[in-house]
Amino acid sequence: MIDMQTSAAPRDVLQPGGRPVAELRDVTFRYGGITVLDSVSVTIHDGEWVALVGANGSGKTTLARLLSGLLSPDAGTVRLMGRLCFATDSGADTQAYREARRSIGLVQQNPEDQIVTSVVEDDVAFGPENLGLPPHSITGRVREALSRTGMERHALADPDALSGGQQQRVAIAGALAMEPALLVLDEPTAMLDPAGRAGTLRTMQAAHDAGTTIVHVTHIPSEMRRATRVIKLEGGKLVYDGPAEGCALCAVDAGRASGASDTSGTSNGTKSTSSARSGSGNSSSGNRGSINSNAASDESAFSVRDVTFRYRNASEPALHGVNLTVRRGEFLTITGANGSGKSTLLSLLCGIEAPTSGEVRSLGEHPHSRKGRKRLLGRVGYVMQMPERQLFADTVAQDVAFGPHNLGLQSSELDERVHDTLEMVGITALADRSPWELSGGQQRLAAIAGVLSMRPEAMLLDEPTAGLDARASRHVIGLLDALHRQGVTIVVVTHDPQRFRSVATRTFCLDGDAHGGTAANATADALSNATYHTSSNTDDIATGTSNDHSPSSHAEGSASSKCSSQVSSDHQRTSHSDHQRTRHRLVSRMDTRVLIILCLVMMAGMFTVSTPLQLAWAFAGILVGMWCTDAGPRRVLSSCTGLIALIVVLGLFNVFFVRTGTPVCHIGSLPITDEGLRDAVLYSLRFALVIVIGATAVLAASTTRLTDAAESLLSPLARCGVPIHECALIMTLALRFLPIISREFTQLAHAQASRGGSIATGRPAQRVRSAVSLLVPVFAMALRHAEHVGTAMESRGYESGIARTHWHQNRPGAADALACIGVALWLAGLIVIAHLA
């Protein structure tokens, strides 16, 4: 199996002789009427590595944000980087907080909320730009940060196209690029694969060795033992502050008890797993084999046949040629490197996405068809990687009740189902709380409860223990084990299959190929029942059926090491050090200011088009422009097909308003003339080409370059008091987050539909009402995103009105001269054709 942790011997505890970089005295913090931190006093000294630990909801994230200077308390004293930032008598000193934050970096729990641009390297450059560094210094910092996090290969990628773990590494790179004196990380490895986790810990170690003070929020014992000091919170109070050796949560046995893999005490992480899976030396695993042989049937719960899936506008498939069969009653874990397609595979199994090619069946149905979704209501439960995306009621109890209510349960029966489910998951005390007031771990438990209340036949869970403390993790694993023993089919995506080693019957390992997809071969180790999905090109897949129960540690270790080595090699492919760039085509090499001006000129020129010959000439010129972008004509056209279709439909309404010409037919009393048809087609195509010109500009340059160029072009208005810089930043954030909000609405709709909502299968009026009911949670999500993004921007040195530098320097060159000549010829052609007509 995979060595899930990189161990380190505990260091001697640093004596408090260094200068304090953060001091909190008798700090109290409240959310509404709830006291989250109660008279907490903490001092962080220069050069320390502090692990901040405790149960979910104990106040770790709040304390981390106080140490980052992003929150001020209700009472107490806060001193950061030697500056008095808050005192009970005087309140918050805004200027002191701003100056202190320039030396403090923060990596939050959810990376999507702290990436502010649409290109990876531009996001990493955001902090250094706010520090006012010259462009050559920013280039050095960006490349170094991407290299240290293994993300050089993705420098030009859209963050939305990356996996959750890859986004987390981008967020870490953004913090490292600021070279902070104090780096606060809130569970930075929770979403990472084993190689990515080890790489992140090495990055943190290198930063610490270089003199950076580390505050690390974590639930993982081996990560705690890396620290020079451990601070434990419990119920908002500080209950331990000392060396790791004295904290029970840091013990090796604590990791094993929680189900978290912790191999710091062994030389080879595969040996303990092999022993457990064969039943040797582990009674629970030995019993698991006999239980599953009776529970699992030959009938498949999920079937994936030669499936390929490509996200819209993606250059490579997320999944390629995947085959998998999950029998009813199985407990399957799916593992693999970040970006290998694990979450995508789950989204196909539950019907959120439809395969590009191949066949997917869930409980015998096609889950992505309307009929299939209707038949699967309440039968397949799905817990997403980001649990807040499937919580949409005002309280936890109401959210849990949503599914059973749609199944027909009423009054006392419904109340009993909700109470039993909350008690089963262990969150009865949260029943009347808003889901938005909960910690990340508590939200995950609430999402699991909402699915469990439906009593599904099969459950799909994406990282169900990520962000959970040891006790909650044990509870969730035990709960899934109990459901499995009752015959429920369980499929879990995890970066840490060791957590589930005593309960899972089989592991399926997805191997991302060099292009980020997965390929189509899998072999089964009959002794460990581990299915490994490699990048070879063969067609068969074994379902992991065991025909030989005799233990063979050599064979098991071989299969386990095989999976581990492939995950590591995938990470190495991602982490190559060469920062290579493809040669850009002409339009993509242009000064973005010139690009915007020429696009506006071409849009204006389109309104002079009045003949079919002019339209043909205009289209030919625009086609050449699309071909001269890196995206190419196909991607440009596919990016705006929906809007073009809308424009064409609206344009065709012109047929009802033109009365000149020869009548061709009548619709009621309205005559349809030949001139009306000609004008309708001409105007529709004319406006469609205007949209294509805009799409070409958007895809030829990143949103950061576009907004920087717009800011430069509009800079004269700043003399009149117009906040040009702030407007440009708002434009950047809008372009970054509108697709995210759209995607989250879709995911909420799917979550509602999977729990019996009528948004996908009801009558039109019901579907409209269901969609409208999601507007409130989507609006709440948007506000939450805005709050978190604001926090991320502040933590990376952004302030309104500051003198920022721009990494991308706009300088016209040969490409711009050629483009200007081309547009001039294009306009001249339109004029000549008009005169000839």
Side-chain angles (χ1 to χ4, degrees), residues 202-457:
R202 285 194 298 270
T203 299
M204 294 166 60
Q205 183 66 62
H208 183 247
D209 292 343
T212 303
T213 305
I214 302 289
V215 174
H216 180 194
V217 179
T218 181
H219 288 300
I220 301 174
S222 63
E223 294 184 3
M224 300 176 193
R225 292 195 297 276
R226 286 178 162 266
T228 58
R229 173 178 160 209
V230 173
I231 295 174
K232 181 183 177 183
L233 295 176
E234 190 173 296
K237 292 182 177 292
L238 193 152
V239 296
Y240 180 83
D241 187 351
E245 294 89 335
C247 181
L249 288 179
C250 302
V252 175
D253 289 341
R256 291 172 178 167
S258 70
S261 59
D262 191 342
T263 59
S264 57
T266 63
S267 60
N268 187 339
T270 66
K271 291 183 179 179
S272 61
T273 304
S274 298
S275 172
R277 296 194 65 83
S278 66
S280 171
N282 188 313
S283 58
S284 123
S285 295
N287 292 337
R288 169 61 54 208
S290 61
I291 289 170
N292 289 330
S293 64
N294 294 326
S297 71
D298 292 333
E299 184 182 356
S300 65
F302 299 103
S303 174
V304 178
R305 287 287 173 263
D306 198 25
V307 162
T308 294
F309 177 80
R310 185 193 303 268
Y311 286 101
R312 184 178 180 182
N313 294 331
S315 59
E316 299 293 340
L319 292 170
H320 177 64
V322 175
N323 291 273
L324 172 65
T325 298
V326 183
R327 299 185 307 276
R328 287 183 184 263
E330 260 199 301
F331 193 132
L332 177 74
T333 55
I334 300 176
T335 189
N338 289 124
S340 60
K342 302 180 300 297
S343 297
T344 300
L345 180 55
L346 279 200
S347 70
L348 291 170
L349 293 178
C350 70
I352 287 181
E353 302 286 359
T356 305
S357 65
E359 181 184 60
V360 176
R361 284 187 175 270
S362 298
L363 302 182
E365 305 290 343
H366 291 290
H368 50 275
S369 69
R370 185 176 179 184
K371 182 183 293 184
R373 285 196 298 267
K374 192 169 185 178
R375 290 177 176 174
L376 289 173
L377 287 180
R379 299 175 62 197
V380 177
Y382 175 45
V383 179
M384 299 176 181
Q385 191 177 51
M386 300 296 181
E388 66 272 16
R389 293 180 179 174
Q390 61 188 105
L391 301 171
F392 43 80
D394 293 336
T395 68
V396 171
Q398 290 174 2
D399 195 86
V400 173
F402 180 82
H405 175 74
N406 290 324
L407 292 178
L409 273 66
Q410 300 293 333
S411 59
S412 60
E413 188 179 10
L414 178 61
D415 293 340
E416 183 179 357
R417 173 73 65 88
V418 171
H419 178 270
D420 290 347
T421 303
L422 291 173
E423 190 172 43
M424 184 189 307
V425 181
I427 55 172
T428 305
L430 304 178
D432 297 324
R433 296 271 300 276
S434 167
W436 307 107
E437 296 176 355
L438 306 181
S439 69
Q442 290 170 329
Q443 286 181 332
R444 191 170 299 278
L445 293 174
I448 292 173
V451 171
L452 281 179
S453 65
M454 301 283 290
R455 303 295 188 261
E457 299 174 35

Side-chain angles (χ1 to χ4, degrees), residues 71 97 128 182 295 358 417 428 494-495 639 713 717 755:
L71 287 178
Y97 267 121
L182 170 62
R417 173 73 65 88
T428 305
T494 178
H495 285 309
S639 71
L713 292 171
L717 295 178
R755 292 161 64 189

Side-chain angles (χ1 to χ4, degrees), residues 2 4 111 149-151 153-154 161-170 172 188-200 317-319 334-344 385-386 462-463 466 493-496 509-518 563-564 566-575:
I2 302 171
M4 299 302 295
T149 53
M151 292 300 291
R153 175 187 169 195
H154 302 283
L162 302 178
S163 70
Q166 290 168 324
Q167 289 178 338
Q168 187 69 286
R169 281 189 270 168
V170 173
I172 294 172
T189 65
M191 306 298 292
L192 299 182
D193 60 46
R197 181 179 295 170
T200 297
L319 292 170
I334 300 176
T335 189
N338 289 124
S340 60
K342 302 180 300 297
S343 297
T344 300
Q385 191 177 51
M386 300 296 181
D462 199 346
E463 298 285 359
V493 162
T494 178
H495 285 309
D496 193 351
C509 185
L510 280 169
D511 170 34
D513 66 14
H515 302 293
T518 57
C563 186
S564 179
Q566 286 294 330
V567 171
S568 297
S569 66
D570 178 81
H571 179 73
Q572 290 165 1
R573 284 195 298 268
T574 301
S575 302

Side-chain angles (χ1 to χ4, degrees), residues 587 595 599 622 625-626 629 636 691-701:
V587 174
L595 175 64
C599 283
I622 293 169
M626 289 189 287
T629 65
V636 171
I691 298 298
V692 171
I693 292 171
T696 302
V698 169
L699 290 177

